[in-house]
Amino acid sequence: MRRRAAEYRRPVRRRFSYWIWVLLGLFSIAGLFLFVVHHNQHEDRVEQPTLERGIERIAHEGLNLTEEILSASSFSRQLAEQVTLAKAYVIIAKEHNNLHLAWELSTRIRSCQLLLSKAAMRGEPITFEEAEPIIKSLSSLIFRAQDAHYDIATTIMTMKSHIQALEERANAATVQSTVFGQLAAEALPKSLHCLNVKLTADWLRKSHLQELADERRNSPRLTDNNLYHFCIFSDNVLATSVVVNSTISNADHSKQLVFHIVTNGISYGAMQAWFLSNDFKGSTVEVQNVEEFSWLNASYAPIVKQLHNSDSRAFYFEGYQDLKTEPKLRNPKYLSLLNHLRFYIPQIYPQLEKVVFLDDDVVVQKDLTPLFSLDLHGNVNGAVETCLEAFHRYYKYLNFSNSIISSKFDPQACGWAFGMNVFDLIAWRKANVTAQYHYWQEQNAAGTLWKLGTLPPGLLTFYGLTEPLDRRWHVLGLGYDLNIDNRLIESAAVIHFNGNMKPWLKLAIGRYKPLWERYVNQSHSYLQDCVTS
C-alpha cells in the first residue's frame, strides 16, 4: 500500500508537544502571579503598623466623641449600645424582683459611663485594653438576663411602655414650659412699672402738662388728610415710644407725621406725660383714653358685652388647670378693649381717610409714607400674607366643621398678619366693615367658630377686602423664631416681635434685642433711675 505524502500525514506528535508547551506556559504565569501577590502582602504587613499609628495619632489630635460613638468599628459605640441594652434589662430585672442582677448591671453601666466620660475628657478614643473587661462583664450579665427568660419580646414590651411614659413626661414638661413662658410674658417688668409710676406722678403734679394736652387736643393737624396718620393702641409707654421713635427716625419728612395713641385709664397719665415732655422732631402725637369713648358700650359693640362676661373673665384668670387649652390663648390681653380697637378705627377717627395701624411690639426701619400712596384696588386692608407655611391658612384659625364657616370661606385661603396694616377708611365705611365684625362676634357668642384672639375675626371681617403687600413691608417672628435670615430683617420696613419673647422682657431673644433698644431713649432720667433701681 502506498504511503501518503508528507503533507497529508497526521501531525499527532506535533499536537501533543503543542499542548505540553501551553500547560508549561500557564504554570509559569500562575507562579509569577503568586510570587507578586505574596510579595505585596508582605509589604502591606510591613507598612500597616506605620499607617495605623498615623491614623491613631490623627484621631487622638481631634477626637469627636459623637462621631466616635456613631462609628461602626469603635469601642465607644459597642459600649454605648451595651449600656442601652443593659438599662432595659435593669428595668426588667427590677420588675421581676431580681434586685441582685439589677444592681450588678447598674454597677457595670456606671463603669462604662465613667470610661466614656474619661475618653471625652482626655480627647482620645477608648483602647481595646480598656474596653475588653467591661464589654465581657456586660455581655455576661446580659446573657444571664436573657437566660432568666427576659426574652426580646419582653424587652420590647417593656421598652414600649417606658417610651410611652417618657413621652407623657416630655409632653407635660413642654406644657409646663409654655405656661411658665406665658406667665413671664404677661408680667410687667419692675422697671416699666417704676417708669409708669414716675410719669403718672408728673402728670398729676404738673398742671402745665394737662394744659398743654388740652391745647393739642384741638390741633387741626389731627384731622388733616394731607398728613400721614398712624394709630397705636397700647398701655405700654416704653414700647409705644419705641414705635414712635423708630417711625420718626426713618421718615424722610418727620414733621408730616401724626400719631394717634389710645391707651387705658391706668396708663393715660403716664402716656401723656411721656409724649408731652419729649421731643419728636416736629411730629404730632395725640393720646386718648379708651374709657372716654362713651359710644363704645355693650349695647353697640358685642365684644364689650363678651369681655365683661363672668365666664370669659374666669377663663382668663382661673389659672392653667385645663391643659387642653393652649396657654397663649389664656392671655388676659384678650380681655383688654385696646386689643379690639383696630375694628373701630373709622369710628375713633371719623374725619380721616387713610391710616397705618401699628402694634406696640414693632420697630420701623424704613420710611413708611409710601404706604399711603399704594393702590389697594378698592380693598379696605393692606397686609402682608403669612401663608408661606401651611399652618397660616384659614382652616388653622377657624372651625370649618361649622356650616356657617364652611359655606362662606375657603379653608385654603391665605392668612395675613395684624401689626402693620394700611386701612382705607373710605372703603371701610362704604363696605360697612365694622357691622360685619359685629355680625361675626354675635355668631361666635358661644365661642365655637374660632379660637380666641383678634386675628380670626379679622380674617372673617376682611375676607375678600384685603390687598396683599410685599413681604418686605412686614417681617414677623422676632418674638419666637431664633432663625430669621439677617438679610430678611435688614430689608424689612417693619419688624414685628410677635410672640412671648418681647424685647422689653428678660426672656427676649438676644440676637434681636438691639434692634429694639437702639430706639429707647436711654438718656431719660426716669428710665435710668428705674433700670438701675
Side-chain angles (χ1 to χ4, degrees):
M1 188 168 74
R2 293 179 60 186
R3 296 185 64 183
R4 298 181 186 180
E7 59 269 25
Y8 294 107
R9 293 175 187 172
R10 294 181 181 178
V12 176
R13 290 181 180 178
R14 292 180 183 177
R15 185 175 61 182
F16 178 73
S17 61
Y18 169 77
W19 283 110
I20 289 175
W21 284 110
V22 169
L23 290 173
L24 286 173
L26 290 174
F27 279 121
S28 300
I29 293 171
L32 180 62
F33 176 75
L34 290 174
F35 172 78
V36 172
V37 170
H38 177 74
H39 181 70
N40 287 340
Q41 286 179 346
H42 177 70
E43 288 182 349
D44 288 344
R45 284 195 297 271
V46 172
E47 294 176 0
Q48 188 174 2
T50 305
L51 182 62
E52 287 178 349
R53 284 195 296 272
I55 293 173
E56 185 179 357
R57 183 172 65 254
I58 293 169
H60 288 189
E61 290 174 358
L63 175 67
N64 186 319
L65 188 60
T66 303
E67 294 180 358
E68 180 74 7
I69 290 176
L70 293 176
S71 174
S73 59
S74 69
F75 291 118
S76 299
R77 176 165 182 169
Q78 294 181 45
L79 290 170
E81 289 176 348
Q82 281 201 321
V83 165
T84 303
L85 188 58
K87 284 181 178 179
Y89 280 123
V90 168
I91 297 169
I92 298 172
K94 286 181 178 179
E95 289 181 349
H96 289 77
N97 206 29
N98 193 344
L99 300 181
H100 182 69
L101 177 60
W103 177 81
E104 287 185 291
L105 285 166
S106 298
T107 302
R108 295 295 180 273
I109 289 171
R110 284 193 292 272
S111 300
C112 184
Q113 291 173 335
L114 181 61
L115 180 57
L116 290 170
S117 299
K118 287 181 178 178
M121 292 294 293
R122 72 191 182 200
E124 296 180 356
I126 297 171
T127 64
F128 174 75
E129 290 76 14
E130 293 173 318
E132 182 184 21
I134 297 178
I135 290 175
K136 282 186 176 180
S137 59
L138 266 177
S139 298
S140 175
L141 289 172
I142 290 170
F143 178 77
R144 282 175 53 190
Q146 293 173 341
D147 196 45
H149 303 293
Y150 304 155
D151 57 7
I152 193 66
T154 306
T155 306
I156 290 173
M157 293 301 296
T158 304
M159 291 297 290
K160 280 185 176 180
S161 63
H162 284 284
I163 288 171
Q164 185 177 0
L166 287 172
E167 285 179 349
E168 291 174 356
R169 289 172 60 186
N171 291 336
T174 301
V175 172
Q176 191 177 46
S177 175
T178 305
V179 170
F180 290 156
Q182 187 64 46
L183 290 173
E186 294 171 12
L188 180 69
K190 289 183 179 180
S191 58
L192 293 186
H193 178 70
C194 167
L195 180 64
N196 281 356
V197 170
K198 287 179 176 290
L199 291 171
T200 302
D202 275 359
W203 172 253
L204 296 174
R205 186 175 64 251
K206 299 178 180 179
S207 58
H208 72 277
L209 290 178
Q210 300 183 24
E211 293 173 0
L212 184 58
D214 290 336
E215 291 178 10
R216 293 188 178 183
R217 188 175 289 119
N218 299 318
S219 172
R221 289 172 57 87
L222 299 176
T223 56
D224 187 350
N225 284 297
N226 293 316
L227 303 177
Y228 303 106
H229 296 266
F230 300 86
C231 57
I232 309 165
F233 309 132
S234 173
D235 59 355
N236 189 324
V237 176
L238 193 61
T240 305
S241 72
V242 168
V243 177
V244 173
N245 284 340
S246 62
T247 306
I248 292 171
S249 299
N250 293 286
D252 293 337
H253 305 286
S254 60
K255 292 183 180 180
Q256 297 182 14
L257 306 185
V258 180
F259 295 91
H260 303 268
I261 300 169
V262 180
T263 188
N264 57 23
I266 296 174
S267 302
Y268 177 72
M271 197 79 75
Q272 284 280 27
W274 178 271
F275 285 100
L276 289 171
S277 58
N278 287 284
D279 176 53
F280 295 99
K281 298 183 180 180
S283 63
T284 301
V285 181
E286 175 195 30
V287 179
Q288 292 179 273
N289 184 356
V290 68
E291 295 174 10
E292 296 178 358
F293 295 167
S294 57
W295 53 270
L296 193 58
N297 51 54
S299 61
Y300 170 68
I303 188 63
V304 176
K305 183 178 180 180
Q306 292 176 21
L307 294 179
H308 288 93
N309 184 280
S310 58
D311 292 336
S312 298
R313 303 189 74 84
F315 176 82
Y316 288 111
F317 292 107
E318 70 185 1
Y320 294 92
Q321 291 85 358
D322 183 11
L323 299 180
K324 293 181 180 178
T325 303
E326 294 181 49
K328 68 178 182 179
L329 297 179
R330 289 183 177 273
N331 194 329
K333 76 175 184 178
Y334 293 127
L335 272 183
S336 172
L337 191 56
L338 293 175
N339 201 44
H340 300 269
L341 287 184
R342 63 196 68 189
F343 296 103
Y344 297 98
I345 294 175
Q347 288 74 23
I348 301 172
Y349 311 110
Q351 294 177 291
L352 297 184
E353 297 177 355
K354 184 173 282 190
V355 300
V356 169
F357 165 75
L358 297 172
D359 263 336
D360 64 358
D361 54 354
V362 305
V363 172
V364 177
Q365 300 187 129
K366 302 280 195 273
D367 183 20
L368 296 186
T369 55
L371 286 171
F372 291 84
S373 59
L374 287 179
D375 185 3
L376 298 183
H377 300 98
N379 289 308
V380 176
N381 172 31
V384 170
E385 293 183 331
T386 56
C387 58
L388 294 176
E389 299 163 355
F391 58 85
H392 285 142
R393 302 280 177 177
Y394 266 49
Y395 72 92
K396 285 294 183 180
Y397 297 98
L398 305 170
N399 179 16
F400 275 86
S401 64
N402 191 303
S403 59
I404 298 177
I405 298 294
S406 59
S407 63
K408 297 184 178 181
F409 301 96
D410 177 10
Q412 294 296 329
C414 189
W416 44 267
F418 271 129
M420 195 290 299
N421 304 79
V422 188
F423 290 120
D424 184 338
L425 301 186
I426 296 175
W428 184 313
R429 298 181 185 100
K430 184 177 180 180
N432 204 2
V433 173
T434 303
Q436 284 293 316
Y437 170 68
H438 286 170
Y439 168 78
W440 287 115
Q441 285 291 354
E442 290 170 352
Q443 293 297 315
N444 195 46
T448 58
L449 299 187
W450 65 76
K451 296 179 181 180
L452 300 171
T454 54
L455 182 56
L459 296 176
L460 298 178
T461 301
F462 294 102
Y463 186 71
L465 297 173
T466 298
E467 179 71 16
L469 303 181
D470 189 297
R471 188 185 180 193
R472 290 171 294 179
W473 279 112
H474 186 193
V475 171
L476 298 102
L478 279 77
Y480 67 89
D481 189 350
L482 299 171
N483 301 309
I484 302 176
D485 192 329
N486 282 329
R487 293 170 297 179
L488 186 61
I489 293 175
E490 291 170 2
S491 66
V494 174
I495 52 175
H496 195 167
F497 289 82
N498 57 311
N500 284 339
M501 299 179 184
K502 301 299 185 189
W504 54 84
L505 300 175
K506 287 185 177 180
L507 50 79
I509 299 174
R511 177 185 161 206
Y512 308 135
K513 196 168 184 177
L515 300 172
W516 184 84
E517 288 180 331
R518 71 176 66 168
Y519 296 106
V520 176
N521 186 3
Q522 305 284 0
S523 62
H524 197 284
S525 59
Y526 286 175
L527 198 55
Q528 291 178 348
D529 293 343
C530 290
V531 170
T532 55
S533 64

